[in-house]
Amino acid sequence: MYSKFNSRCMKLNFRKQYHNACVLMMTLLFFSIQIAHAQQQAYIPDPDPLVQQRLADWQDMKFGLLMHWGPYSQWGVVESWSICPEDLSWASGARLQRSNGADYAQYRKDYEALQKTFNPINFDPAKWAEAAAFAGMRYVVFTTKHHDGFCMFDTRTTDYKITDDKTPYHTQPNADVTRAIFDAFRKKNFWIGAYFSKPDWHADGYWWNRFPPADRNPNYAIDKHPEQWQKYVQHTHEQINELTSNYGKLDILWLDGGWVAKKTSDELKAEMQAEYEGSRWARNPQSQDINMPLLVKNARQKQPGLIVVDRAVPGVYQNYLTPEQHIPDEGLPYPWETCMTMSRSWSYTPNDVYKPTNELVEKLVDIVSKGGNYLLNIGPDDKGQWNDTAYSRLRDIGNWMAVNQSAIYGTKMYAHFAQGDSIRFTQSKDGKTRYVYLFNYAKGSLHLADIKLQKTDAVRLLGYEKALIWKDEANGVAIQLPEAGMNASQHVWVLQIRSL
Ligand code: GLC
């Protein structure tokens, strides 16, 4: 009896424990799914309806211009990075210059002294705007301040700026180059974007002069010196206030330096662990909270509907995503833009190599077929000039656009974006027109799988007069490409399929 009772109790106990273990496992599973979900949630839509409207308009623009320009352009080194005390093989400027014998402290002094010789006397933003407009670009993003902290606009917060007496160019009527660029591009109906680096390696609140900088991050413990950090937060808010108050209509605030972000202690722990495992030295990650809610609230008070791009910081202030030097394999289910250099580097370097027009047009088409925008970068030189090749590329792209632009603007993703590596698809917004982009043109029969045509559909090759002949095939359609069609365009040929 006793043992029966006992064994029953044990059974019950076991069941209870089993039940508890299951509940625990389910709870853990639930939370880990939640965490994974939160981590995967790369995009969080902004609840402001005006921002949503502006984003939809921005997605129609497809093609924009990015420019990296500053006193560093005189040395032709990678923008800003050569003063960052990390061993970065790609910041070759640092290696070159420093291997010339200069120690770090001297190197940084020399770098900052570039302000005293920066005199881009051939700066003519109207010429840039003209060339970019011809190419079909519709918005511009300009480095108002890069990580080195040099302001290419007129600010009251620092004398490390283009309009200061120490900068030779300050006497010129266009000394406030940010204003001149924004005005010139606005005249061509561009949307205006301010690239702004959150990290500022000149500001005492970020790299405090009391200590040597250690890496790209603040060089002191923020929680020990909150007043020092507040100086930097204040400095950043003031500069954004100037840019959003004094420079006319601003459409995009493009914030770079995603490591400046608020972090929870769990995120910091995970980062620390990753650093420790992944590198020879572990740093102490810190929450770099610059009060984004207030920053954005103030900015949007002056610029209603402002698109804010807090790059690489998942959350509500990253209104679109910005894959860098890279095109995603597939379309992304949120607004995005690939930023990419037209040559090899972001800022001017001597003897830079420019991508051929073919590649640029194909990339534009590839991006558009995946629902994104293409932000193409050109780096002006120390005199304020673009390389001739940049102009000729923009001219070639413009000539292509003159024939094919109806297949770029006002399009959206099609059911599938590609057939193999060299055919892309989109459709018009009303879905009545489909576009097929051919990266190669060969006369004869072109088989398009998964495309069905109605009898009344008309197929044209943009830039070619006559309608094309087509016929249904098992699993798709065959379109006859005439020999003369070869001359309809260059780089990429576009078929337009219209339904009545
Ligand atoms: C990279 C570069 C940075 C540049 C940015 C533009 O992150 O390091 O200097 O401003 O690309 O997207």
Side-chain angles (χ1 to χ4, degrees):
M1 179 72 185
Y2 177 80
S3 69
K4 230 182 180 180
F5 175 77
N6 210 6
S7 85
R8 215 178 183 187
C9 276
M10 273 168 71
K11 258 189 206 156
L12 273 176
N13 236 343
F14 175 74
R15 264 197 213 142
K16 206 169 164 193
Q17 276 170 10
Y18 179 74
H19 172 82
N20 286 346
C22 283
V23 170
L24 185 69
M25 267 166 62
M26 293 297 281
T27 316
L28 284 175
L29 189 69
F30 174 77
F31 279 113
S32 57
I33 288 172
Q34 292 300 308
I35 290 167
H37 184 68
Q39 279 168 351
Q40 277 165 16
Q41 221 175 347
Y43 187 71
I44 300 176
D46 196 309
D48 183 338
L50 189 53
V51 173
Q52 287 306 323
Q53 178 54 49
R54 308 276 298 159
L55 269 175
D57 294 344
W58 172 81
Q59 285 183 289
D60 284 342
M61 296 188 167
K62 309 295 186 194
F63 196 23
L65 172 72
L66 176 61
M67 284 191 284
H68 278 68
W69 191 35
Y72 46 74
S73 308
Q74 295 170 86
W75 279 352
V77 294
V78 170
E79 66 290 340
S80 300
W81 283 100
S82 64
I83 56 166
C84 175
E86 292 175 30
D87 192 2
L88 303 165
S89 53
W90 47 267
S92 61
R95 300 216 153 182
L96 275 177
Q97 300 285 334
R98 286 196 223 146
S99 64
N100 280 351
D103 63 15
Y104 175 76
Q106 186 58 47
Y107 179 82
R108 202 168 142 206
K109 267 196 196 130
D110 294 348
Y111 181 97
E112 296 202 334
L114 283 169
Q115 171 180 16
K116 298 186 191 145
T117 48
F118 192 40
N119 197 13
I121 42 165
N122 296 333
F123 171 56
D124 180 3
K127 196 175 166 198
W128 294 345
E130 174 92 46
F134 182 81
M137 292 169 154
R138 299 208 161 164
Y139 65 106
V140 64
V141 179
F142 173 62
T143 49
T144 60
K145 180 181 84 169
H146 204 261
H147 310 333
D148 63 9
F150 186 82
C151 292
M152 295 290 273
F153 64 102
D154 190 27
T155 173
R156 279 165 305 173
T157 59
T158 176
D159 58 3
Y160 194 48
K161 60 174 177 180
I162 185 127
T163 48
D164 186 72
D165 296 355
K166 288 191 282 301
T167 316
Y169 196 65
H170 84 277
T171 55
Q172 298 295 322
N174 271 345
D176 187 345
V177 297
T178 293
R179 181 181 307 286
I181 290 172
F182 287 0
D183 287 349
F185 281 81
R186 243 184 239 117
K187 277 196 188 134
K188 292 278 175 192
N189 297 320
F190 275 58
W191 271 27
I192 302 301
Y195 169 112
F196 181 89
S197 168
K198 290 180 294 176
D200 184 328
W201 296 334
H202 190 79
D204 206 35
Y206 201 78
W207 278 1
W208 194 1
N209 285 338
R210 187 184 281 193
F211 308 108
D215 55 28
R216 70 189 66 188
N217 294 288
N219 58 348
Y220 63 94
I222 294 172
D223 53 358
K224 266 202 219 158
H225 305 283
E227 70 302 330
Q228 194 64 15
W229 182 253
Q230 270 320 304
K231 272 197 216 167
Y232 160 70
V233 174
Q234 188 67 24
H235 169 86
T236 308
H237 282 233
E238 266 176 50
Q239 292 189 340
I240 297 291
N241 181 36
E242 291 172 328
L243 285 168
T244 49
S245 306
N246 307 337
Y247 287 84
K249 175 129 183 57
L250 191 68
D251 302 289
I252 303 166
L253 181 61
W254 214 85
L255 297 172
D256 201 16
W259 65 90
V260 175
K262 186 178 178 177
K263 299 261 166 73
T264 63
S265 55
D266 282 350
E267 283 165 340
L268 291 173
K269 261 187 226 151
E271 220 177 276
M272 176 99 150
Q273 187 61 26
E275 289 269 347
Y276 183 72
E277 283 162 5
S279 67
R280 277 168 293 137
W281 44 274
R283 67 187 174 89
N284 261 329
Q286 312 195 59
S287 176
Q288 301 184 35
D289 183 1
I290 58 165
N291 197 351
M292 280 298 289
L294 182 63
L295 187 147
V296 173
K297 184 171 159 248
N298 289 339
R300 287 200 179 133
Q301 236 154 39
K302 278 153 222 133
Q303 302 285 345
L306 176 72
I307 293 177
V308 178
V309 188
D310 197 9
R311 298 188 71 206
V313 183
V316 79
Y317 302 122
Q318 188 174 211
N319 292 162
Y320 65 73
L321 267 67
T322 55
E324 186 174 297
Q325 297 286 36
H326 156 80
I327 301 174
D329 293 339
E330 289 179 7
L332 304 174
Y334 38 72
W336 65 276
E337 157 200 270
T338 282
C339 55
M340 190 180 275
T341 50
M342 186 192 268
S343 58
R344 285 188 180 153
S345 45
W346 295 105
S347 59
Y348 165 80
T349 57
N351 310 317
D352 208 349
V353 179
Y354 284 74
K355 295 183 176 73
T357 309
N358 267 354
E359 193 180 327
L360 295 170
V361 175
E362 285 177 10
K363 287 195 153 87
L364 172 66
V365 166
D366 188 27
I367 289 168
V368 168
S369 77
K370 293 169 182 168
N373 281 9
Y374 194 21
L375 184 66
L376 189 58
N377 179 85
I378 297 173
D381 68 14
D382 59 322
K383 295 282 179 293
Q385 302 165 149
W386 286 354
N387 188 299
D388 286 346
T389 314
Y391 285 105
S392 88
R393 294 292 185 271
L394 292 179
R395 228 173 6 250
D396 291 349
I397 297 173
N399 289 334
W400 183 86
M401 281 283 200
V403 178
N404 299 298
Q405 58 174 304
S406 61
I408 294 294
Y409 311 114
T411 59
K412 60 176 188 180
M413 277 169 68
Y414 184 55
H416 49 277
F417 69 88
Q419 176 176 317
D421 287 341
S422 56
I423 298 180
R424 294 287 179 271
F425 303 94
T426 66
Q427 59 183 325
S428 61
K429 285 217 177 138
D430 63 7
K432 287 190 175 155
T433 307
R434 282 168 284 180
Y435 294 102
V436 186
Y437 309 76
L438 312 175
F439 292 2
N440 304 306
Y441 190 94
K443 71 164 185 166
S445 177
L446 169 77
H447 178 79
L448 296 175
D450 301 327
I451 290 261
K452 279 288 166 202
L453 295 189
Q454 307 291 325
K455 280 212 174 65
T456 48
D457 286 350
V459 182
R460 279 196 56 211
L461 170 65
L462 296 184
Y464 183 74
E465 285 297 302
K466 297 179 199 154
L468 302 193
I469 296 166
W470 58 269
K471 73 169 195 307
D472 271 335
E473 279 191 341
N475 188 18
V477 67
I479 297 174
Q480 283 305 314
L481 300 180
E483 185 165 7
M486 181 76 192
N487 304 320
S489 193
Q490 280 186 60
H491 316 299
V492 171
W493 291 258
V494 182
L495 303 176
Q496 180 199 59
I497 304 175
R498 269 223 174 106
S499 309
L500 289 179

